[in-house]
Amino acid sequence: MAQEDVFKKLVAHCKEYGYVFPSSEIYDGLSAVYDYGQYGVELKNNIKKYWWDSMVLLNDNIVGLDSAIFMHPTIWKASGHVDAFNDPLIDNKDSKKRYRADILIEEHIAKIEEKVTKEVEKARERFGQAFDEKKFRETNPRVIANQTKIDELNERYSKALNAMDLPALRQIIMDCEIVCPISGSRNWTEVRQFNLMFSTELGSTADGSTTIFLRPETAQGIFVNFLNVQKTGRMKIPFGIAQIGKAFRNEIVARQFIFRMREFEQMEMQFFVQPGTELEWFKYWKEIRMKWYQALGFGAENYRFHDHTKLAHYANAATDIEYRFPFGFKEVEGIHSRTDYDLRQHQQYSGKKMQYFDPEKGESYIPYVIETSIGVDRMFLHIISAAYLEEELKKEDGSTDTRVVLRLPAYLAPVKLAVMPLVKKDGLPEIAEKIVHELKFEFNCQYDDKDSIGRRYRRQDAIGTPYCITIDHQTREDQTVTIRYRDSMEQERIKISRLKDIIFEKVSIVSLLKKL
Ligand code: GAP
């Protein structure tokens, strides 16, 4: 199945099974805003717990923070967001549709890349075992021509984007003959800057209100509290502050479901270090963060670093961790060595010293910062797209059947176990209810007695429940139940008294954290 179709099915599945709903759906929705349903919120909470514990629990030099969404407007002047948090937008005069100029160009480049990939894959099929991809890429004339085009375009594009040279961006769109997907025309306006911050008024207009911004990142709340936390927590450098919270961006082109939203959640950690040691710490956090993803067991080959070659003026190193989504490798997390830029800016704008006195060196300095920044929703999309599987099953009579299963890691699954009486009589429901009552203090359990056992299993597979417990007549005799494993569909008979320990070992986040 084409990856595009898989993605469409995944979005539909999320809605049908209570993971993600379009926001304000009965009013026809609100673009790029989503609500998390009964299972979505559990998965989201489990993702956040995994991140939070890996930062705050496992590191005695990292502490948490929960700063307000509303902040003093000068913060955004100091951080550079008022002047520079812009996207280049362009309108098509015929369709009246608005696009991000950078995305139009990136998509154009991606199309040429796709051509190269197709060419390579065709050759791989033709030559089989003997295929030497490197040699093919170096010698095939069509691949060479397209690769040269890609390299030249990439260079021209990143130069224009870094300098925010708007006419140059427009010229690339014209030269590449990029058309509007709706009107099919090349009747483009000039490229303009568009600030992504949402603003609102604080206080009533009669009293004289102040325009404030909804934070576009959580990081600034950490920077402005740096000394509060350092002093009250008696923190010694190196130390980190972690925060999870909502952020808001008025994205011009918000799409790909929850990949790019206007209201989203971030998990950010700022690690304060001695100047001069930042590149060692940058390397350290790259490794730690990659391990965090790989511990989930979705395959190391599905992640990669995308090191930035062109750096923002305040950074001296930056990389993205990318995951292979159904629509290609895309950023899930950014890791940046941000120098002392933010603290220095806040020192200048607030007039307050943002320095740390280092008792070992006997001197004060503005610390340098390594930032790790991941989107909760993007991580959610990564997990759910990695877990979604349409599986073909062979039945005993030789015919085939399909099941949809979410192979979520057990510690992230919303429901850990479903308890099912085989029939709704003979005292079996009572035994099942008793088991749920005992286990519900430890795990998210579901009692289910509707429909055939096969249909109940499928329902649980579709929401990703890793274990199903079935109570049958034998249970009454020997106090055993069957435990059915979601992925293998195998079943085992075990004593009720062992259930808690067995499940605990499999779903506990501790075993995941111990892999880090
Ligand atoms: N403080 C640094 C910062 O905010 P960023 O690269 O703009 O850096 C960090 O954002 C992460 O936040 C991204 O890697 C992504 O996971 C998530 N993110 C950013 N914009 C988003 C959006 N519009 N919708 C969903 N997630 C977003």
Side-chain angles (χ1 to χ4, degrees):
M1 199 188 309
Q3 289 298 295
E4 230 169 73
D5 295 333
V6 174
F7 192 60
K8 274 191 197 147
K9 286 194 169 185
L10 179 70
V11 175
H13 188 86
C14 280
K15 184 167 171 228
E16 190 182 344
Y17 286 93
Y19 271 90
V20 184
F21 305 126
S23 163
S24 322
E25 199 185 4
I26 59 168
Y27 293 96
D28 298 331
L30 187 64
S31 167
V33 187
Y34 289 89
D35 298 334
Y36 287 84
Q38 64 276 27
Y39 298 123
V41 65
E42 298 288 343
L43 173 57
K44 212 175 169 207
N45 284 342
N46 293 341
I47 290 171
K48 288 194 266 185
K49 181 163 172 51
Y50 175 39
W51 184 86
W52 187 265
D53 286 356
S54 74
M55 289 291 176
V56 176
L57 214 63
L58 298 194
N59 297 284
D60 54 14
N61 61 349
I62 297 182
V63 291
L65 179 77
D66 184 12
S67 69
I69 288 173
F70 294 157
M71 294 198 280
H72 195 286
T74 310
I75 287 174
W76 304 111
K77 189 79 191 147
S79 67
H81 284 81
V82 170
D83 296 321
F85 195 51
N86 299 320
D87 274 347
L89 68 84
I90 190 166
D91 292 326
N92 183 268
K93 292 182 196 163
D94 299 319
S95 68
K96 311 268 183 271
K97 289 277 172 205
R98 180 162 290 173
Y99 299 91
R100 263 176 66 177
D102 54 336
I103 287 188
L104 283 179
I105 298 169
E106 279 171 22
E107 282 179 349
H108 179 77
I109 297 172
K111 271 189 201 149
I112 311 175
E113 278 169 345
E114 219 170 276
K115 277 190 198 161
V116 172
T117 311
K118 272 196 186 142
E119 200 84 49
V120 171
E121 289 314 312
K122 239 169 51 196
R124 192 190 308 283
E125 258 173 44
R126 209 169 49 236
F127 294 114
Q129 289 283 332
F131 183 58
D132 180 343
E133 182 176 333
K134 187 166 176 281
K135 196 164 168 206
F136 180 77
R137 282 181 183 270
E138 283 165 2
T139 51
N140 181 282
R142 272 193 305 270
V143 170
I144 294 172
N146 276 327
Q147 194 55 52
T148 311
K149 230 191 247 174
I150 293 168
D151 294 342
E152 283 170 4
L153 257 177
N154 266 331
E155 199 186 324
R156 208 176 144 196
Y157 163 62
S158 57
K159 213 162 135 192
L161 195 66
N162 278 329
M164 264 298 167
D165 183 343
L166 306 181
L169 283 174
R170 183 175 189 275
Q171 200 52 50
I172 297 174
I173 291 174
M174 299 311 283
D175 292 349
C176 291
E177 302 186 345
I178 296 174
V179 296
C180 164
I182 307 289
S183 67
S185 86
R186 279 183 262 147
N187 197 4
W188 296 110
T189 61
E190 296 307 306
V191 178
R192 282 167 294 142
Q193 297 273 33
F194 177 78
N195 192 285
L196 297 182
M197 284 198 294
F198 285 103
S199 62
T200 187
E201 301 297 315
L202 188 79
S204 72
T205 19
D207 301 342
S209 64
T210 316
T211 300
I212 56 165
F213 299 102
L214 300 191
R215 65 181 179 200
E217 61 171 15
T218 59
Q220 297 303 323
I222 296 180
F223 288 124
V224 298
N225 278 294
F226 151 70
L227 278 182
N228 283 338
V229 174
Q230 188 272 317
K231 287 190 173 138
T232 56
R234 301 159 66 90
M235 307 300 290
K236 284 216 175 86
I237 273 182
F239 75 90
I241 304 178
Q243 169 158 238
I244 300 178
K246 288 268 182 165
F248 305 83
R249 293 182 190 177
N250 197 3
E251 300 281 0
I252 303 164
V253 183
R255 53 190 183 151
Q256 279 153 339
F257 192 34
I258 53 173
F259 184 82
R260 197 178 300 284
M261 304 158 87
R262 298 206 163 101
E263 174 183 339
F264 59 101
E265 215 167 346
Q266 287 185 315
M267 306 189 279
E268 298 199 294
M269 195 278 296
Q270 314 291 324
F271 199 70
F272 301 91
V273 303
Q274 199 183 309
T277 64
E278 72 277 6
L279 292 181
E280 273 166 57
W281 284 111
F282 175 72
K283 193 164 161 261
Y284 171 84
W285 279 108
K286 265 179 83 170
E287 278 168 27
I288 294 283
R289 293 302 303 145
M290 186 54 103
K291 232 175 160 185
W292 186 84
Y293 291 92
Q294 293 184 353
L296 292 168
F298 289 119
E301 70 284 3
N302 290 317
Y303 303 94
R304 70 181 187 194
F305 286 115
H306 169 72
D307 292 331
H308 296 200
T309 43
K310 303 264 186 248
L311 295 168
H313 60 282
Y314 52 79
N316 62 5
T319 195
D320 295 334
I321 294 182
E322 295 185 336
Y323 170 71
R324 194 201 300 262
F325 285 96
F327 40 84
F329 270 104
K330 293 275 182 253
E331 172 189 344
V332 183
E333 170 159 351
I335 304 172
H336 310 115
S337 172
R338 295 181 70 119
T339 66
D340 60 355
Y341 175 80
D342 301 85
L343 291 179
R344 192 172 286 284
Q345 287 289 101
H346 288 306
Q347 175 167 288
Q348 190 191 327
Y349 276 78
S350 68
K352 310 275 168 14
K353 275 210 167 1
M354 297 299 278
Q355 294 188 351
Y356 166 80
F357 177 74
D358 191 326
E360 274 154 39
K361 296 186 82 181
E363 64 179 45
S364 295
Y365 53 79
I366 300 179
Y368 272 41
V369 172
I370 306 300
E371 167 184 76
T372 72
S373 174
I374 156 177
V376 179
D377 313 86
R378 218 169 265 189
M379 187 62 193
F380 183 108
L381 184 59
H382 153 17
I383 297 292
I384 207 129
S385 50
Y388 181 86
L389 181 72
E390 280 182 28
E391 197 174 28
E392 200 156 279
L393 304 173
K394 273 225 161 71
K395 294 211 276 197
E396 274 170 16
D397 64 4
S399 63
T400 55
D401 193 7
T402 51
R403 71 161 179 161
V404 174
V405 54
L406 285 186
R407 293 197 296 183
L408 297 166
Y411 13 76
L412 297 184
V415 179
K416 305 299 185 206
L417 75 157
V419 185
M420 310 168 167
L422 189 63
V423 289
K424 273 200 260 185
K425 57 181 184 183
D426 305 333
L428 305 190
E430 287 75 9
I431 302 175
E433 277 164 9
K434 190 162 172 261
I435 293 175
V436 169
H437 184 72
E438 276 165 18
L439 296 183
K440 72 180 179 191
F441 297 95
E442 310 274 348
F443 319 111
N444 190 329
C445 307
Q446 225 174 52
Y447 172 87
D448 191 1
D449 65 5
K450 286 180 201 72
D451 303 322
S452 71
I453 199 78
R455 287 184 76 161
R456 282 183 261 170
Y457 284 155
R458 289 296 154 81
R459 221 164 24 231
Q460 295 299 332
D461 289 343
I463 62 167
T465 307
Y467 309 105
C468 288
I469 308 298
T470 307
I471 286 80
D472 55 20
H473 291 92
Q474 193 182 327
T475 310
R476 292 197 316 187
E477 285 156 27
D478 62 6
Q479 300 298 300
T480 63
V481 292
T482 57
I483 178 166
R484 177 215 186 237
Y485 300 100
R486 177 196 64 202
D487 299 347
S488 63
M489 293 188 291
E490 276 167 13
Q491 301 190 15
E492 224 186 313
R493 214 149 183 111
I494 54 169
K495 283 264 179 217
I496 294 178
S497 55
R498 289 187 54 222
L499 257 182
K500 188 167 137 188
D501 288 345
I502 291 177
I503 308 266
F504 184 80
E505 208 222 288
K506 293 179 195 292
V507 305
S508 159
I509 202 157
V510 175
S511 47
L512 178 60
L513 292 172
K514 281 190 174 162
K515 289 190 199 169
L516 300 178

